[in-house]
Amino acid sequence: MSSLIDTISKTLTPIHPEGRPFIAIAGAATLLIGWFVTPIFWIGLILTGWVAYFFRDPKRVTPVAEGMVVSPADGRVSFIGPATPPPELGLSEKPLTRISVFMSVFDVHVNRAPVGGRLARVAYKGGIFLNADLDKASEDNERNGLIIETAAGTRIGVVQIAGLVARRIVSFKKEGETVEIGERFGLIRFGSRLDVYLPDGVRPLVSEGQRAIAGETPFADLTGRTQAPVSSRID
């Protein structure tokens, strides 16, 4: 029996702790209302299952070679091009190459650090809730920006942007702390976007429309390598 339980636990995708209260509320509401209205019970059961699915937190295999930049989010690469970083970050007053990843409500929403280093700045800015797939969302929507400074002194900007459905940006890290590449640093509830700002001269390794996997998909190589690294870490 213990081996069976162990096998099941390794097979099922873990749920991030941030989602447990929502799953508990959905489950309790389903049982309470379903006690009086049977059809509602089955609808609520499906919704509870979807909430659990939304907060899934699968393990990832992250390349750890020096200079590697990986995707911070699961989703579709919706934009690659020049854009000025949010002013509150103080990253640059001129346009840098921005890579945007749009997360639908069906994508994993746990965000992972694109590079390892020190959080030189964490800046939150309130805003409205436009569709995160719109370019204007970078300026108008609620957002939380980070600057990660690598050991070599390179600074990478990462911005969590709340979407049309999302109403809560969650950050697990504070300014001055350190992160490893691929480490979980935050989460956005129910549909949103992540922007990554690359330094001048760094070429993106992805294209618009491509599917990205947080902590795994190479976004850029700060060293200019043309071959993918072989070393990795599972987390």
Side-chain angles (χ1 to χ4, degrees):
M1 178 62 72
S2 61
S3 60
L4 177 61
I5 295 175
D6 184 61
T7 299
I8 294 174
S9 64
K10 291 180 178 179
T11 301
L12 295 176
T13 301
I15 302 297
H16 194 276
E18 182 72 23
R20 292 172 185 169
F22 294 90
I23 298 170
I25 292 171
T30 296
L31 292 174
L32 180 62
I33 299 175
W35 179 266
F36 302 99
V37 186
T38 301
I40 298 297
F41 171 80
W42 298 109
I43 296 174
L45 197 62
I46 293 172
L47 290 176
T48 301
W50 180 82
V51 172
Y53 176 76
F54 176 86
F55 284 103
R56 66 198 185 280
D57 183 18
K59 292 184 179 296
R60 294 291 161 81
V61 181
T62 301
V64 293
E66 181 182 358
M68 183 57 57
V69 181
V70 299
S71 176
D74 283 32
R76 172 177 56 85
V77 178
S78 59
F79 175 84
I80 299 176
T84 304
E88 67 270 13
L89 281 183
L91 182 62
S92 174
E93 294 183 356
K94 64 179 182 178
L96 299 175
T97 297
R98 188 185 85 200
I99 305 178
S100 299
V101 180
F102 176 73
M103 296 179 287
S104 76
V105 294
F106 300 105
D107 288 311
V108 173
H109 274 59
V110 175
N111 306 142
R112 293 173 178 263
V115 294
R118 183 181 67 89
L119 294 180
R121 178 166 297 184
V122 177
Y124 170 83
K125 185 178 185 301
I128 59 178
F129 301 96
L130 297 174
N131 185 341
D133 210 11
L134 298 175
D135 188 64
K136 193 173 178 59
S138 293
E139 300 177 5
D140 297 338
N141 281 26
E142 176 187 352
R143 61 181 181 256
N144 185 58
L146 303 86
I147 293 180
I148 305 176
E149 186 173 325
T150 70
T154 303
R155 302 202 305 169
I156 302 291
V158 190
V159 183
Q160 299 170 288
I161 301 174
L164 183 64
V165 181
R167 287 295 186 273
R168 183 75 169 97
I169 295 175
V170 181
S171 180
F172 309 147
K173 294 289 185 176
K174 298 179 180 179
E175 190 169 302
E177 295 184 339
T178 59
V179 292
E180 294 184 358
I181 182 172
E183 182 181 350
R184 301 165 182 83
F185 76 86
L187 179 150
I188 312 178
R189 297 174 189 158
F190 309 117
S192 43
R193 197 178 91 199
L194 262 287
D195 288 345
V196 174
Y197 291 89
L198 300 175
D200 276 332
V202 176
R203 181 174 61 89
L205 299 179
V206 289
S207 56
E208 289 187 17
Q210 179 178 334
R211 291 289 302 176
I213 299 176
E216 291 191 359
T217 302
F219 261 17
D221 192 329
L222 302 177
T223 67
R225 274 186 303 259
T226 57
Q227 294 184 345
V230 295
S231 58
S232 60
R233 184 185 69 250
I234 299 176
D235 184 16

